[in-house]
Amino acid sequence: MKNTLIWQVVKSFSVAEQREFGEFLDSPFVNKRSDLKVLYQYLAKMAKSKKGTADRRDAYQLIFPGQPYNDQEMRLALSYLFKVAERFLIWKEYENNKLKQQVSLLAAYRKRHLTAHFQKALNRSQKILDQQPFRHPELYLEKYQIEHERYLFLSETGRTKELNLQEVEDNLTAAMLGMKLRQACFLRSHETVFNTSYDTHLVEELLALAGQPAFAVCPAVSLYSNCYRALFLVHNEKVFQGFKRHLFENVEHFPKEEMRDLYLLAINFCIKKVNDGRASFYREALDLYKSGLSTALLIKDHQLSRFTYNNIVAVAIRLPAEWKWAGWFVKAYREYLPEAHQEAAFSLNSARLAFVKKDYDNALVQLLKADYKDLINNMVAKTLQLKIYFEMQEMELLDSHLRTMRMFIRRNKKMAYHRENWSNIVRYTQKLMEVNPFDLERKKQLEKAILSEETLTEKEWLIKQLRA
């Protein structure tokens, strides 16, 4: 039964939702079948049990006691229960959105020609709007829907001189602008990451309209217009800082998921700039990471992704003034990591921090503390060990370590596009070991080769060692 739709829904219920759905089933308005209640009680019990699965035949005997198993009847019972569960999920979503409820209530009163009721509901809608913390595009869509209901009401009552057509137009335009510019930002970002192409319509016209005074002060529009200009149009640090400032000012005005996506867009932009040689964007990226931590935007389900944890340390260690903060972060956010990755991520990042401080012995101790089952972390650790041996001038250890890395890379078939990068790191480190420090021409040729290599994440470190 684990692959049935209703089982998967029941498994997704929280404890409170399990209780609520039981009460929902008790209502004759949504369910008149007693067998569905019995079936749900069995599914809910099994969802909470250690067994963690349900059996069709066991369920059938509970709802049709003493009868021989009939698969068609069982399927129908599961299907009926699933339809009720879908109504419950719709109700849950609807119950959590007061503005959608008000739009529906306004429509109901308008259609029944209940003028006093409509006016009272309209006043209540305005109060709810005023209390809304968010200023995202969907808020303006809901404002539009309320104003549209008001327009229909005024039209039907013959009060044509009081028509609110400007309010309808302004809110609809703000919603459309915000949604279209948001979509354009994420389409362009996806193009960059996945090397694909999308048709984005009317972007120039939308940006021009977004710059008009009426919309420039509207966060739903201005945040996304600034995002698009900074990340995809005007590659200027001052413009980006303006967008970042705008982002920080509106953290509380957008839903958490939406704001997290914006932060990740901005962070990915900074990393791309860093990879293009714009080192000043390390500071921009760390500012975004710090803000994302302080507002809990980067914490999801009480956890911080180990990849985000690694990336934050990678950025912070590039800024010596932030090493103390990085040490605090590594310890303070260890408990937010998924338990299965805590030890490895903590040890790896403690080692990275020790390395930049040239505390090589401590770095090596930290690297030995964890079992790096994750391929990426394993190779990051091996690369860090390579750099430690080179900087300590432990050339015999380094030579042996390079042989081990070559063998590991050759044997591991899951590296995909990482293979070229790590192979290049090993190859150029070997060349670095072999180059005569007094052969200036050969060093110059090696530097040129390193700089021209497209896939080489340790390019900066190799050049630094070559020039030392």
Side-chain angles (χ1 to χ4, degrees), residues 184-211:
C185 288
F186 288 106
L187 282 177
R188 290 295 304 274
S189 175
H190 199 269
E191 284 179 342
T192 303
V193 175
F194 293 95
N195 193 28
T196 187
S197 179
Y198 298 101
D199 293 329
T200 51
H201 305 291
L202 303 172
V203 173
E204 291 183 7
E205 293 84 351
L206 292 168
L207 289 171
L209 183 57

mmCIF file of all heavy atoms in Angstrom, residues 184-211:
data_model
loop_
_atom_site.group_PDB
_atom_site.id
_atom_site.type_symbol
_atom_site.label_atom_id
_atom_site.label_comp_id
_atom_site.label_asym_id
_atom_site.label_seq_id
_atom_site.Cartn_x
_atom_site.Cartn_y
_atom_site.Cartn_z
ATOM 1 N N ALA A 184 11.544 36.550 -14.770
ATOM 2 C CA ALA A 184 12.693 36.860 -15.620
ATOM 3 C C ALA A 184 14.001 36.625 -14.874
ATOM 4 O O ALA A 184 14.965 36.088 -15.432
ATOM 5 C CB ALA A 184 12.613 38.307 -16.101
ATOM 6 N N CYS A 185 14.048 37.013 -13.597
ATOM 7 C CA CYS A 185 15.264 36.815 -12.789
ATOM 8 C C CYS A 185 15.612 35.339 -12.674
ATOM 9 O O CYS A 185 16.772 34.941 -12.855
ATOM 10 C CB CYS A 185 15.071 37.410 -11.392
ATOM 11 S SG CYS A 185 15.071 39.207 -11.337
ATOM 12 N N PHE A 186 14.611 34.517 -12.392
ATOM 13 C CA PHE A 186 14.895 33.099 -12.188
ATOM 14 C C PHE A 186 15.142 32.364 -13.500
ATOM 15 O O PHE A 186 15.925 31.406 -13.537
ATOM 16 C CB PHE A 186 13.786 32.450 -11.362
ATOM 17 C CG PHE A 186 13.824 32.882 -9.922
ATOM 18 C CD1 PHE A 186 12.891 33.774 -9.425
ATOM 19 C CD2 PHE A 186 14.818 32.440 -9.071
ATOM 20 C CE1 PHE A 186 12.942 34.210 -8.103
ATOM 21 C CE2 PHE A 186 14.889 32.864 -7.755
ATOM 22 C CZ PHE A 186 13.941 33.743 -7.262
ATOM 23 N N LEU A 187 14.521 32.819 -14.569
ATOM 24 C CA LEU A 187 14.828 32.238 -15.882
ATOM 25 C C LEU A 187 16.274 32.508 -16.263
ATOM 26 O O LEU A 187 16.994 31.609 -16.714
ATOM 27 C CB LEU A 187 13.892 32.807 -16.947
ATOM 28 C CG LEU A 187 12.472 32.245 -17.026
ATOM 29 C CD1 LEU A 187 11.682 32.982 -18.096
ATOM 30 C CD2 LEU A 187 12.491 30.757 -17.332
ATOM 31 N N ARG A 188 16.710 33.751 -16.083
ATOM 32 C CA ARG A 188 18.093 34.107 -16.438
ATOM 33 C C ARG A 188 19.093 33.368 -15.570
ATOM 34 O O ARG A 188 20.155 32.944 -16.033
ATOM 35 C CB ARG A 188 18.289 35.622 -16.321
ATOM 36 C CG ARG A 188 17.568 36.449 -17.378
ATOM 37 C CD ARG A 188 18.119 36.175 -18.780
ATOM 38 N NE ARG A 188 19.541 36.411 -18.860
ATOM 39 C CZ ARG A 188 20.104 37.607 -19.110
ATOM 40 N NH1 ARG A 188 19.317 38.662 -19.297
ATOM 41 N NH2 ARG A 188 21.392 37.739 -19.176
ATOM 42 N N SER A 189 18.762 33.219 -14.298
ATOM 43 C CA SER A 189 19.652 32.488 -13.395
ATOM 44 C C SER A 189 19.764 31.026 -13.820
ATOM 45 O O SER A 189 20.856 30.452 -13.851
ATOM 46 C CB SER A 189 19.118 32.569 -11.963
ATOM 47 O OG SER A 189 19.895 31.770 -11.090
ATOM 48 N N HIS A 190 18.632 30.428 -14.177
ATOM 49 C CA HIS A 190 18.621 29.030 -14.609
ATOM 50 C C HIS A 190 19.405 28.861 -15.905
ATOM 51 O O HIS A 190 20.103 27.852 -16.097
ATOM 52 C CB HIS A 190 17.174 28.558 -14.787
ATOM 53 C CG HIS A 190 17.024 27.076 -14.777
ATOM 54 N ND1 HIS A 190 17.068 26.324 -15.919
ATOM 55 C CD2 HIS A 190 16.842 26.196 -13.752
ATOM 56 C CE1 HIS A 190 16.909 25.040 -15.616
ATOM 57 N NE2 HIS A 190 16.767 24.933 -14.309
ATOM 58 N N GLU A 191 19.317 29.825 -16.782
ATOM 59 C CA GLU A 191 20.086 29.791 -18.025
ATOM 60 C C GLU A 191 21.582 29.708 -17.737
ATOM 61 O O GLU A 191 22.315 28.950 -18.372
ATOM 62 C CB GLU A 191 19.811 31.056 -18.848
ATOM 63 C CG GLU A 191 18.485 31.076 -19.563
ATOM 64 C CD GLU A 191 18.271 32.368 -20.341
ATOM 65 O OE1 GLU A 191 18.969 33.361 -20.054
ATOM 66 O OE2 GLU A 191 17.403 32.378 -21.221
ATOM 67 N N THR A 192 22.027 30.512 -16.766
ATOM 68 C CA THR A 192 23.443 30.574 -16.432
ATOM 69 C C THR A 192 23.945 29.254 -15.857
ATOM 70 O O THR A 192 25.009 28.760 -16.229
ATOM 71 C CB THR A 192 23.706 31.695 -15.406
ATOM 72 O OG1 THR A 192 23.229 32.936 -15.944
ATOM 73 C CG2 THR A 192 25.186 31.827 -15.099
ATOM 74 N N VAL A 193 23.166 28.674 -14.959
ATOM 75 C CA VAL A 193 23.593 27.461 -14.260
ATOM 76 C C VAL A 193 23.524 26.236 -15.166
ATOM 77 O O VAL A 193 24.428 25.389 -15.154
ATOM 78 C CB VAL A 193 22.736 27.236 -12.997
ATOM 79 C CG1 VAL A 193 23.084 25.900 -12.335
ATOM 80 C CG2 VAL A 193 22.945 28.378 -12.012
ATOM 81 N N PHE A 194 22.460 26.123 -15.966
ATOM 82 C CA PHE A 194 22.223 24.895 -16.727
ATOM 83 C C PHE A 194 22.502 25.050 -18.226
ATOM 84 O O PHE A 194 22.185 24.153 -19.013
ATOM 85 C CB PHE A 194 20.786 24.412 -16.513
ATOM 86 C CG PHE A 194 20.541 23.951 -15.104
ATOM 87 C CD1 PHE A 194 19.994 24.814 -14.170
ATOM 88 C CD2 PHE A 194 20.882 22.669 -14.709
ATOM 89 C CE1 PHE A 194 19.771 24.405 -12.861
ATOM 90 C CE2 PHE A 194 20.672 22.247 -13.405
ATOM 91 C CZ PHE A 194 20.111 23.111 -12.480
ATOM 92 N N ASN A 195 23.104 26.160 -18.604
ATOM 93 C CA ASN A 195 23.511 26.376 -19.990
ATOM 94 C C ASN A 195 22.374 26.109 -20.970
ATOM 95 O O ASN A 195 22.484 25.345 -21.926
ATOM 96 C CB ASN A 195 24.716 25.483 -20.335
ATOM 97 C CG ASN A 195 25.368 25.895 -21.647
ATOM 98 O OD1 ASN A 195 25.313 27.058 -22.046
ATOM 99 N ND2 ASN A 195 25.980 24.932 -22.334
ATOM 100 N N THR A 196 21.241 26.727 -20.681
ATOM 101 C CA THR A 196 20.077 26.589 -21.547
ATOM 102 C C THR A 196 19.582 27.981 -21.924
ATOM 103 O O THR A 196 20.194 28.979 -21.558
ATOM 104 C CB THR A 196 18.967 25.777 -20.843
ATOM 105 O OG1 THR A 196 17.920 25.527 -21.768
ATOM 106 C CG2 THR A 196 18.445 26.502 -19.613
ATOM 107 N N SER A 197 18.473 28.036 -22.657
ATOM 108 C CA SER A 197 17.974 29.335 -23.105
ATOM 109 C C SER A 197 16.448 29.360 -23.045
ATOM 110 O O SER A 197 15.786 28.378 -23.393
ATOM 111 C CB SER A 197 18.429 29.603 -24.539
ATOM 112 O OG SER A 197 17.946 30.844 -24.995
ATOM 113 N N TYR A 198 15.908 30.491 -22.572
ATOM 114 C CA TYR A 198 14.462 30.677 -22.486
ATOM 115 C C TYR A 198 14.061 31.976 -23.185
ATOM 116 O O TYR A 198 14.848 32.918 -23.271
ATOM 117 C CB TYR A 198 14.001 30.755 -21.029
ATOM 118 C CG TYR A 198 14.253 29.513 -20.213
ATOM 119 C CD1 TYR A 198 15.316 29.443 -19.334
ATOM 120 C CD2 TYR A 198 13.422 28.403 -20.328
ATOM 121 C CE1 TYR A 198 15.560 28.303 -18.574
ATOM 122 C CE2 TYR A 198 13.643 27.255 -19.580
ATOM 123 C CZ TYR A 198 14.719 27.215 -18.711
ATOM 124 O OH TYR A 198 14.956 26.089 -17.969
ATOM 125 N N ASP A 199 12.829 32.008 -23.655
ATOM 126 C CA ASP A 199 12.271 33.244 -24.203
ATOM 127 C C ASP A 199 11.682 34.055 -23.058
ATOM 128 O O ASP A 199 10.761 33.593 -22.376
ATOM 129 C CB ASP A 199 11.165 32.936 -25.224
ATOM 130 C CG ASP A 199 11.719 32.266 -26.470
ATOM 131 O OD1 ASP A 199 12.870 32.559 -26.826
ATOM 132 O OD2 ASP A 199 11.001 31.444 -27.068
ATOM 133 N N THR A 200 12.212 35.241 -22.833
ATOM 134 C CA THR A 200 11.655 36.133 -21.810
ATOM 135 C C THR A 200 11.034 37.321 -22.524
ATOM 136 O O THR A 200 11.718 38.038 -23.247
ATOM 137 C CB THR A 200 12.753 36.606 -20.829
ATOM 138 O OG1 THR A 200 13.858 37.117 -21.576
ATOM 139 C CG2 THR A 200 13.231 35.476 -19.954
ATOM 140 N N HIS A 201 9.763 37.523 -22.320
ATOM 141 C CA HIS A 201 9.013 38.501 -23.100
ATOM 142 C C HIS A 201 8.877 39.833 -22.362
ATOM 143 O O HIS A 201 8.671 39.884 -21.151
ATOM 144 C CB HIS A 201 7.616 37.951 -23.430
ATOM 145 C CG HIS A 201 7.648 36.631 -24.130
ATOM 146 N ND1 HIS A 201 8.113 36.490 -25.415
ATOM 147 C CD2 HIS A 201 7.294 35.391 -23.716
ATOM 148 C CE1 HIS A 201 8.032 35.218 -25.773
ATOM 149 N NE2 HIS A 201 7.544 34.530 -24.759
ATOM 150 N N LEU A 202 9.018 40.922 -23.113
ATOM 151 C CA LEU A 202 8.725 42.283 -22.659
ATOM 152 C C LEU A 202 9.634 42.771 -21.511
ATOM 153 O O LEU A 202 9.250 43.683 -20.773
ATOM 154 C CB LEU A 202 7.256 42.387 -22.204
ATOM 155 C CG LEU A 202 6.193 42.014 -23.232
ATOM 156 C CD1 LEU A 202 4.819 41.991 -22.566
ATOM 157 C CD2 LEU A 202 6.214 43.019 -24.384
ATOM 158 N N VAL A 203 10.809 42.195 -21.347
ATOM 159 C CA VAL A 203 11.649 42.559 -20.199
ATOM 160 C C VAL A 203 12.036 44.039 -20.241
ATOM 161 O O VAL A 203 11.959 44.736 -19.221
ATOM 162 C CB VAL A 203 12.907 41.672 -20.130
ATOM 163 C CG1 VAL A 203 13.852 42.171 -19.032
ATOM 164 C CG2 VAL A 203 12.513 40.236 -19.844
ATOM 165 N N GLU A 204 12.447 44.542 -21.395
ATOM 166 C CA GLU A 204 12.843 45.952 -21.498
ATOM 167 C C GLU A 204 11.681 46.876 -21.148
ATOM 168 O O GLU A 204 11.849 47.869 -20.425
ATOM 169 C CB GLU A 204 13.366 46.257 -22.904
ATOM 170 C CG GLU A 204 14.701 45.587 -23.215
ATOM 171 C CD GLU A 204 15.212 45.973 -24.593
ATOM 172 O OE1 GLU A 204 14.593 46.852 -25.244
ATOM 173 O OE2 GLU A 204 16.218 45.387 -25.027
ATOM 174 N N GLU A 205 10.492 46.549 -21.669
ATOM 175 C CA GLU A 205 9.315 47.371 -21.395
ATOM 176 C C GLU A 205 8.935 47.306 -19.908
ATOM 177 O O GLU A 205 8.552 48.321 -19.308
ATOM 178 C CB GLU A 205 8.131 46.888 -22.239
ATOM 179 C CG GLU A 205 8.287 47.110 -23.747
ATOM 180 C CD GLU A 205 9.074 46.014 -24.446
ATOM 181 O OE1 GLU A 205 9.657 45.151 -23.741
ATOM 182 O OE2 GLU A 205 9.115 46.020 -25.682
ATOM 183 N N LEU A 206 9.066 46.116 -19.324
ATOM 184 C CA LEU A 206 8.741 45.952 -17.903
ATOM 185 C C LEU A 206 9.697 46.749 -17.024
ATOM 186 O O LEU A 206 9.273 47.391 -16.058
ATOM 187 C CB LEU A 206 8.802 44.471 -17.518
ATOM 188 C CG LEU A 206 7.724 43.563 -18.129
ATOM 189 C CD1 LEU A 206 8.067 42.099 -17.897
ATOM 190 C CD2 LEU A 206 6.359 43.889 -17.543
ATOM 191 N N LEU A 207 10.974 46.719 -17.351
ATOM 192 C CA LEU A 207 11.965 47.469 -16.571
ATOM 193 C C LEU A 207 11.713 48.978 -16.680
ATOM 194 O O LEU A 207 11.856 49.707 -15.695
ATOM 195 C CB LEU A 207 13.383 47.131 -17.038
ATOM 196 C CG LEU A 207 13.885 45.723 -16.670
ATOM 197 C CD1 LEU A 207 15.207 45.436 -17.386
ATOM 198 C CD2 LEU A 207 14.069 45.597 -15.158
ATOM 199 N N ALA A 208 11.342 49.422 -17.868
ATOM 200 C CA ALA A 208 11.040 50.851 -18.053
ATOM 201 C C ALA A 208 9.837 51.254 -17.217
ATOM 202 O O ALA A 208 9.826 52.293 -16.553
ATOM 203 C CB ALA A 208 10.802 51.152 -19.533
ATOM 204 N N LEU A 209 8.796 50.426 -17.224
ATOM 205 C CA LEU A 209 7.583 50.709 -16.446
ATOM 206 C C LEU A 209 7.883 50.648 -14.947
ATOM 207 O O LEU A 209 7.377 51.460 -14.170
ATOM 208 C CB LEU A 209 6.489 49.697 -16.818
ATOM 209 C CG LEU A 209 5.117 49.879 -16.156
ATOM 210 C CD1 LEU A 209 4.562 51.275 -16.448
ATOM 211 C CD2 LEU A 209 4.158 48.804 -16.649
ATOM 212 N N ALA A 210 8.743 49.695 -14.549
ATOM 213 C CA ALA A 210 9.096 49.541 -13.130
ATOM 214 C C ALA A 210 9.835 50.754 -12.591
ATOM 215 O O ALA A 210 9.816 51.020 -11.382
ATOM 216 C CB ALA A 210 9.948 48.292 -12.929
ATOM 217 N N GLY A 211 10.476 51.508 -13.478
ATOM 218 C CA GLY A 211 11.213 52.691 -13.054
ATOM 219 C C GLY A 211 10.355 53.917 -12.837
ATOM 220 O O GLY A 211 10.830 54.934 -12.321
#
